Amino acid sequence: MKKLLLLVAVLCMQSNVMELNAQTVKSAQKKNKVTEKKVKGDTPKMAPTVSLNNQLDSIAYTIGMAQTQGLKNYLVNNLKMDTAYINEFIKGLNEGVKKLDKKQEALQAGVQIGQQIKKQMIVELNKEIFGADSTKTISVDHFMAGFIAGTLEKDQKMTMEQAQEYARTNMEALKNKSTEQTYGANKEAGAKFLAENKLKEGVVTTASGLQYKVITKGSGEIPTAESKVKVHYKGTTIDGAEFDSSYKRNEPATFEAGQVIKGWTEALTMMPVGSKWILYIPQELGYGSREAGPIKPFSTLIFEVELLSIEK
């Protein structure tokens, strides 16, 4: 929108430049005719015939043209359109700007939302429920039956509240089952690692299952969950792969101690300022079944954490 407003402003300020003289118009029209001859004979003429012989017409044309920047990428990447059928798109475009009656408008709205269901909603739901398994899909017929029943507000098999609650709890269960099938080995590897690690010298295991080892014992104040803390840290998986480091960025992180993963909150609320600990965080005190960037579901994590200060 900012680009559009800027374009209009420039055009208005430079009206004398935008006025096209008759010679320029004739030249442009002649060029267009030459170009049209190169197009296949069965290609339909889609664009209205116009002459840019006054300022307002020139403004309308240039704004229309400017607004198509990035359109093809959107059609291909977002709407999944095959550009081999670009002429059909233009036909639809021309139909869309015509004045429609109420019946036509309703049909057009249904087609648009139907396309969103097919190309976006169903695709995202499948990813949400089945993860990386592209061989599985929910039933489109059942989805549409529920969607239409909800829209018409009749012949519903349950109340809206019941539908929302069932979808929420059962989607989560399906998602967890699918995730565990794919990443269950991470859970097993983490449990094995922690069982062996707790026997090592200096490692303390808390009631929650968190393990830590004190590298430097601080003597400062101990944060609460509400405290804003400044820390340096490095995070790795149990196989030693580093996924984050404030040391490498040379910039400590500042956040509220209670607004991070459970393992961090528990450790920070035991650490005096000036302490440096190694934390061994079970998956249930970390990200659990969630995937967080390079951290895969059910991953046991290792953090080197240095509590620098409590911010007042």
Side-chain angles (χ1 to χ4, degrees):
M1 190 61 187
K2 289 182 179 178
K3 289 182 179 178
L4 177 59
L5 292 175
L6 180 59
L7 178 61
V8 173
V10 171
L11 288 169
C12 289
M13 287 188 292
Q14 299 181 349
S15 59
N16 59 322
V17 177
M18 289 300 300
E19 291 289 353
L20 301 176
N21 57 44
Q23 183 178 355
T24 305
V25 174
K26 288 179 181 178
S27 175
Q29 290 174 336
K30 184 177 179 181
K31 185 177 180 180
N32 286 339
K33 288 180 180 178
V34 172
T35 304
E36 286 175 4
K37 289 179 182 178
K38 295 179 182 179
V39 180
K40 292 181 180 180
D42 58 350
T43 301
K45 185 177 180 182
M46 295 296 194
T49 301
V50 296
S51 297
L52 307 184
N53 53 11
N54 65 61
Q55 184 188 28
L56 283 176
D57 288 346
S58 298
I59 287 174
Y61 182 88
T62 52
I63 290 175
M65 188 170 178
Q67 295 310 298
T68 63
Q69 186 174 0
L71 176 60
K72 274 199 175 179
N73 284 337
Y74 176 79
L75 294 175
V76 172
N77 298 323
N78 294 69
L79 302 185
K80 311 302 180 187
M81 193 190 90
D82 186 342
T83 54
Y85 300 99
I86 190 68
N87 286 341
E88 297 304 311
F89 167 75
I90 300 299
K91 283 182 183 178
L93 201 64
N94 284 325
E95 287 297 316
V97 298
K98 291 179 181 178
K99 186 176 181 180
L100 304 176
D101 61 31
K102 298 298 182 183
K103 184 177 179 179
Q104 289 172 320
E105 286 178 350
L107 177 61
Q108 191 175 76
V111 170
Q112 289 173 347
I113 292 177
Q115 288 293 299
Q116 289 176 3
I117 289 172
K118 177 185 177 182
K119 297 182 178 181
Q120 296 175 26
M121 291 185 191
I122 299 296
V123 172
E124 291 304 316
L125 278 171
N126 285 335
K127 285 182 181 178
E128 183 74 13
I129 296 172
F130 303 117
D133 189 349
S134 60
T135 64
K136 295 180 180 179
T137 179
I138 63 168
S139 167
V140 177
D141 285 346
H142 283 75
F143 178 95
M144 290 304 297
F147 193 92
I148 291 168
T151 302
L152 297 177
E153 296 182 339
K154 65 179 183 180
D155 298 329
Q156 297 166 320
K157 298 184 180 298
M158 61 190 76
T159 66
M160 182 63 73
E161 291 74 19
Q162 288 171 330
Q164 290 172 339
E165 178 61 19
Y166 186 92
R168 184 185 65 80
T169 56
N170 286 271
M171 269 187 65
E172 189 65 27
L174 274 177
K175 180 183 175 183
N176 288 341
K177 182 179 179 181
S178 176
T179 303
E180 188 145 5
Q181 287 174 344
T182 306
Y183 296 103
N186 288 346
K187 186 184 287 189
E188 295 173 9
K192 183 175 184 292
F193 171 85
L194 291 168
E196 295 172 354
N197 191 63
K198 71 178 181 180
L199 303 176
K200 294 181 180 179
E201 184 178 355
V203 175
V204 179
T205 303
T206 70
S208 70
L210 172 70
Q211 296 179 4
Y212 68 90
K213 183 177 182 180
V214 177
I215 305 302
T216 302
K217 187 175 182 180
S219 57
E221 184 181 353
I222 297 176
T224 66
E226 291 73 36
S227 299
K228 192 174 183 180
V229 296
K230 181 183 283 187
V231 302
H232 255 317
Y233 69 93
K234 179 180 76 171
T236 63
T237 54
I238 58 175
D239 61 3
E242 184 179 299
F243 55 81
D244 196 9
S245 173
S246 66
Y247 293 104
K248 284 189 175 179
R249 293 191 296 273
N250 196 30
E251 183 179 357
T254 302
F255 49 81
E256 193 172 300
Q259 294 184 339
V260 284
I261 56 175
K262 292 178 181 179
W264 267 63
T265 298
E266 182 179 350
L268 287 169
T269 53
M270 296 189 294
M271 293 175 68
V273 171
S275 296
K276 186 174 185 178
W277 292 9
I278 296 179
L279 310 181
Y280 308 94
I281 300 181
Q283 56 87 15
E284 61 269 22
L285 299 180
Y287 294 95
S289 62
R290 291 177 291 151
E291 186 167 353
I295 302 172
K296 298 303 179 184
F298 304 122
S299 292
T300 292
L301 304 173
I302 302 172
F303 286 96
E304 181 181 306
V305 179
E306 186 177 0
L307 180 54
L308 302 176
S309 64
I310 298 175
E311 302 294 287
K312 302 298 183 181

